[in-house]
Amino acid sequence: MVMSGRTRALARPERTCVGCRRRAAKNDLLRVAVVGDACVPDPRGTLPGRGAYVHPDTVCLDLAVRRRAFPRALRAQGPLDTAALREWVEQGKTPDS
């Protein structure tokens, strides 16, 4: 049994949501990757390249878009299309579905 250094809880990967900037378990967040000039959901985490993580809800997605967090986190030049990502989130899918 692996323990985290600070608590008695089991160690598990954590990531930071680019929208709200809160830390959460990796499996609670949706990985986003760049394909061409668009942000696309990567629920399995298998797309190549740099990834960013966001809570799969419209509030965090809107915050990330408004703050221009995706191009910064993904180190992409210029604005990125988030239509596919928004559609995925609005359908209410979860990262493990």
Side-chain angles (χ1 to χ4, degrees):
M1 174 153 72
V2 178
M3 297 284 197
S4 140
R6 290 176 277 164
T7 64
R8 307 278 302 161
L10 290 177
R12 60 182 180 170
E14 286 188 342
R15 300 291 183 264
T16 301
C17 172
V18 295
C20 65
R21 304 294 299 158
R22 286 187 304 210
R23 294 183 64 80
K26 182 179 173 183
N27 59 356
D28 293 338
L29 298 172
L30 172 64
R31 183 176 188 267
V32 178
V34 175
V35 174
D37 62 343
C39 287
V40 295
D42 183 18
R44 290 155 124 219
T46 57
L47 289 176
R50 184 171 288 275
Y53 290 84
V54 67
H55 284 106
D57 62 22
T58 56
V59 174
C60 285
L61 179 60
D62 291 340
L63 277 170
V65 170
R66 188 171 68 229
R67 294 175 58 235
R68 296 184 196 105
F70 289 120
R72 188 178 320 116
L74 298 168
R75 296 185 182 172
Q77 298 295 319
L80 296 172
D81 180 27
T82 58
L85 181 58
R86 182 167 302 282
E87 180 182 329
W88 197 89
V89 169
E90 288 175 351
Q91 288 179 359
K93 294 184 179 178
T94 59
D96 54 357
S97 64

